[in-house]
Amino acid sequence: MNIQSITQYYRKHRKAIVTATSGLLYGGGWSLGYLTSFEMASAAILVLATIVGGYDIAKTAYHEVTNRTLGIKTLVTLAAIGAIVIGEYWEAAAVVFLFSLGSYLEGRTMRKTRTALQELLEMTPDTATVRRDGELQEVPAREVEEGEVVVVRPGGKIPVDGEVVDGESAVNQAPVTGESAPVHKADGDEVYAGTVNQEGALEIRTTGAGSDTTLERIIRRVEEAQEAQSPTESLIDRFAKYYTPAVIVLAIGAYAVTQNAILSLTLLVIGCPGALVIGPPVSIVSAIGNAARSGVLMKGGEHLERAGKIDLVAFDKTGTLTKGETTVADVEGFGVADDEVLSLAATAEKKSEHHLADAIVDAARERPTAATDGGAAVAQADETDASLQSIPGPDDFDVVAGKGVIAHTEGTEVVVGNRALLEDRDINVPSRIADYVREREERGETVVHVVRDGDIIGAIALRDELRKAAPGVVTALQDVGIETVMLTGDNERTAAAVAEEVGIDEYRAELLPEDKQTVIEAYQADGHVVAMVGDGINDAPSLATADVGIAMGAAGTDTAIETADMALMADDLDRIPYAVKLSKATRWNVLENVGLAVLTVTVLLAGVLTSYVTLAAGMLVHEASVLAVILNGMRLLRH
């Protein structure tokens, strides 16, 4: 080992080396004085132990004083200098050594907590196999260009974000989404860097590489969240700003009254607010790290603490409690053929971006095409995309938000929408049609009316299947005392049917996006701390208004990762009870740490005033309390 290597090793492990040297000198000096009569030599070694262990502490204390702030290291430095001045050399060395040891262990533990997620980055391979000029080449993963095709063999780790262009396989994407089961991937599906291809070979067209991958963005987001202070941390920081000078004043006052220097120095040591300052950040950092590894991104300590107070969770229906994969369940024509109703509705809805419109257009395209054979109509099943029905577009088209569409085609006005739209246009609904609509809505389906030139000619029933996890998630939240509410734009009967099937406490139906926001504000005015779970652009106002906005399916959606208070990387409702319980556990953990810190200082203060606590014992207990709150906070890593 050459000098350069030794220097690098010393710089890397300086804290541990200094602490160990200080401890050895302290042990040697104390033994020499206790076992022999070489008191001068013992004192010299103990002073040397104090200097070795206390140099960095005093240096920081100097900067604190010159910056007009008084911190823990200022108190320790004053205590050590004071102990040497009055001849209590072993006390000075003990205080410095114990503080250094505590700081070393604290720093090591905090680094381990903060860098837990970095292990995920190590799962991303350093190299990628890229198809260039018809040949496979192995290149550094960070140098893969957007649009290049990467080949990943079975069992290999995926080096880039991209879209599958060839092959089929199961991919373990737990590092990104927290999903425990592998996800089937085929042409057109998104895959993420750091995930593992388990079965077949995949060819992936790159959309992001190097630092521009979902996993890298998650790590950056989590690191920023871990640095953001919670309200409790900010409060304690403001408290410590005044508390530390008060401890110095108390120590000076105690000396003025008692003339007992040891008592004053001990007050300086036990008055250190170390456990109080370090406790909340450890809890917050541990919880945010745990959540990220489970596929839940928290925006920061402020939002995590607020989530710990949630007592009402509001769910959007479509795409949240349901799969968001709406399909046409039934078409009923009133005086006209069912196919004609569907075809006319599809033409009117062709330019709409609403999910119900997509379902109607898709159903119309997939209907059997009508062919002729010798003049007789013959139904023929579609087998290829080329045989799908062509849907003509409308001549003009208007969207009535939350109600439907009004279009014109070939001189005919076509209205497709709900009862509210029909009421707006004074269109009467005959009892026969109303009975049909009621029957379908009581099954949990959404029904739209199809109107041609003012007459209702048919109705289309659409169904969006519930997520299997929805009833269990609602029950899990109710079990921990949280109220559940469903907010939907659907009609009363459909909302009631879905709410009953899910087991939700309350529902609000026929809401426009701005109505959902108003409902959230009303719950807040009643004193509730509200979380809103949603996934669409329509939910943005209510997500922003809620105390905690929870976005679903954020993987691959940069906006959700960056803006949501809490983002579920996968469309996995089961993560919501987990995230809420983790938030509440974190809140209690922070309170436990604050309580332990305050109790420790109170007991030590009583011990000092009754002469049961010495300077070194005070420092030992103080450092023990710091380690205790760190270990307590780290329990959240395994919650």
Side-chain angles (χ1 to χ4, degrees):
M1 184 178 288
N2 55 33
I3 293 178
Q4 187 178 4
S5 300
I6 293 173
T7 304
Q8 288 177 344
Y9 182 85
Y10 172 74
R11 286 176 179 167
K12 187 175 180 181
H13 301 283
R14 186 173 186 277
K15 187 79 176 176
I17 293 170
V18 167
T19 301
T21 305
S22 173
L24 288 172
L25 288 170
Y26 166 66
W30 180 84
S31 300
L32 194 64
Y34 185 77
L35 299 175
T36 71
S37 57
F38 300 122
E39 294 183 358
M40 288 294 291
S42 169
I45 294 173
L46 288 170
V47 170
L48 181 60
T50 306
I51 293 172
V52 169
Y55 174 77
D56 288 340
I57 301 170
K59 193 175 172 183
T60 305
Y62 172 75
H63 289 301
E64 286 178 350
V65 172
T66 53
N67 289 322
R68 298 184 178 182
T69 59
L70 297 176
I72 297 171
K73 291 181 178 175
T74 303
L75 297 180
V76 172
T77 303
L78 288 174
I81 293 173
I84 289 175
V85 169
I86 63 175
E88 295 290 346
Y89 305 118
W90 81 270
E91 293 268 23
V95 165
V96 167
F97 166 63
L98 290 171
F99 185 80
S100 295
L101 179 62
S103 298
Y104 168 71
L105 295 175
E106 174 189 325
R108 184 182 172 85
T109 308
M110 287 296 287
R111 278 195 300 277
K112 186 177 177 183
T113 304
R114 287 182 184 277
T115 59
L117 279 180
Q118 293 294 335
E119 295 170 7
L120 297 182
L121 279 183
E122 294 171 7
M123 296 187 69
T124 308
D126 296 328
T127 60
T129 304
V130 183
R131 190 183 298 283
R132 287 179 179 169
D133 300 326
E135 294 184 358
L136 295 181
Q137 299 179 21
E138 188 165 312
V139 302
R142 291 181 176 276
E143 295 179 6
V144 177
E145 303 271 341
E146 185 177 340
E148 286 191 308
V149 174
V150 172
V151 178
V152 183
R153 296 184 175 84
K157 294 173 183 173
I158 297 175
V160 297
D161 278 5
E163 179 183 312
V164 176
V165 292
D166 192 21
E168 205 169 322
S169 181
V171 173
N172 177 1
Q173 46 187 32
V176 173
T177 66
E179 293 165 289
S180 55
V183 179
H184 180 260
K185 298 288 183 181
D187 283 7
D189 289 337
E190 273 188 305
V191 291
Y192 309 108
T195 57
V196 183
N197 176 25
Q198 293 192 324
E199 295 174 353
L202 290 175
E203 294 201 10
I204 300 162
R205 188 175 304 284
T206 304
T207 56
S211 61
D212 185 28
T213 64
T214 299
L215 185 56
E216 289 265 9
R217 283 193 287 276
I218 291 172
I219 301 294
R220 287 198 296 272
R221 185 71 188 79
V222 170
E223 287 175 344
E224 289 168 8
Q226 289 176 333
E227 293 299 325
Q229 281 197 324
S230 68
T232 303
E233 291 174 79
S234 300
L235 177 66
I236 289 175
D237 274 2
R238 290 197 298 274
F239 170 73
K241 189 176 176 182
Y242 299 100
Y243 172 80
T244 308
V247 170
I248 295 175
V249 171
L250 176 65
I252 294 172
Y255 180 75
V257 173
T258 65
Q259 296 297 302
N260 185 338
I262 289 293
L263 173 67
S264 297
L265 296 177
T266 308
L267 281 174
L268 284 178
V269 169
I270 64 105
C272 293
L276 193 62
V277 172
I278 197 72
V282 174
S283 304
I284 299 293
V285 167
S286 299
I288 290 175
N290 181 333
R293 285 188 297 177
S294 300
V296 180
L297 286 187
M298 305 277 191
K299 196 170 185 178
E302 178 183 353
H303 303 277
L304 183 58
E305 279 199 5
R306 200 182 301 150
K309 300 175 185 175
I310 290 170
D311 61 3
L312 187 148
V313 174
F315 291 92
D316 172 52
K317 183 180 80 69
T318 304
T320 302
L321 291 174
T322 64
K323 294 178 180 177
E325 298 169 357
T326 306
T327 56
V328 171
D330 187 55
V331 180
E332 184 75 11
F334 303 109
V336 299
D338 296 350
D339 284 353
E340 186 178 349
V341 172
L342 185 61
S343 176
L344 202 58
T347 297
E349 296 275 17
K350 188 175 181 184
K351 294 184 179 178
S352 171
E353 295 180 352
H354 197 277
H355 65 97
L356 295 184
D358 292 341
I360 290 171
V361 173
D362 288 346
R365 282 183 172 143
E366 291 167 3
R367 284 258 163 161
T369 54
T372 58
D373 183 6
V378 177
Q380 139 183 325
D382 301 324
E383 293 181 353
T384 64
D385 288 345
S387 66
L388 293 179
Q389 292 270 23
S390 174
I391 307 297
D395 299 330
D396 58 62
F397 162 84
D398 284 311
V399 174
V400 183
K403 297 180 180 178
V405 300
I406 302 168
H408 290 86
T409 175
E410 298 179 350
T412 301
E413 181 190 75
V414 182
V415 176
V416 182
N418 56 22
R419 275 191 296 275
L421 183 57
L422 268 57
E423 287 169 7
D424 288 351
R425 301 179 66 80
D426 296 325
I427 298 173
N428 183 47
V429 181
S431 59
R432 177 192 167 201
I433 298 175
D435 290 343
Y436 169 81
V437 172
R438 183 185 307 109
E439 180 197 340
R440 303 304 302 200
E441 288 178 345
E442 286 174 352
R443 298 182 189 184
E445 296 172 355
T446 302
V447 180
V448 294
H449 307 77
V450 182
V451 182
R452 181 169 60 190
D453 289 334
D455 296 322
I456 302 176
I457 62 166
I460 301 174
L462 301 109
R463 167 170 281 277
D464 186 3
E465 295 293 334
L466 277 179
R467 293 181 191 273
K468 287 183 181 177
V473 167
V474 169
T475 302
L477 291 171
Q478 291 166 338
D479 287 345
V480 293
I482 293 176
E483 289 184 48
T484 53
V485 179
M486 182 180 75
L487 309 180
T488 177
D490 266 332
N491 63 80
E492 182 79 15
R493 282 194 289 265
T494 302
V498 173
E500 183 179 358
E501 194 172 349
V502 176
I504 213 154
D505 294 321
E506 189 180 343
Y507 67 87
R508 299 292 182 92
E510 299 180 13
L511 299 176
L512 298 173
E514 56 268 28
D515 296 331
K516 294 181 183 178
Q517 186 178 1
T518 304
V519 170
I520 297 281
E521 289 171 344
Y523 282 124
Q524 290 172 321
D526 288 342
H528 288 290
V529 179
V530 182
M532 173 73 196
V533 188
D535 73 325
I537 295 173
N538 286 345
D539 300 324
S542 42
L543 285 172
T545 302
D547 296 287
V548 180
I550 304 176
M552 289 186 60
T557 309
D558 294 349
T559 305
I561 293 176
E562 296 298 329
T563 60
D565 298 332
M566 194 183 290
L568 311 184
M569 300 308 294
D571 279 333
D572 185 359
L573 274 180
D574 283 325
R575 298 292 166 193
I576 293 174
Y578 155 79
V580 172
K581 290 176 184 176
L582 176 64
S583 302
K584 290 187 177 296
T586 304
R587 184 163 173 256
W588 276 110
N589 194 275
V590 168
L591 292 175
E592 288 168 5
N593 280 348
V594 171
L596 178 61
V598 172
L599 179 65
T600 302
V601 171
T602 304
V603 170
L604 283 176
L605 183 62
V608 171
L609 296 177
T610 54
S611 303
Y612 281 104
V613 174
T614 64
L615 184 59
M619 176 54 77
L620 182 63
V621 173
H622 172 267
E623 290 303 320
S625 70
V626 170
L627 292 177
V629 298
I630 289 175
L631 293 175
N632 187 44
M634 288 181 69
R635 288 192 302 116
L636 294 170
L637 284 170
R638 296 179 177 81
H639 179 81

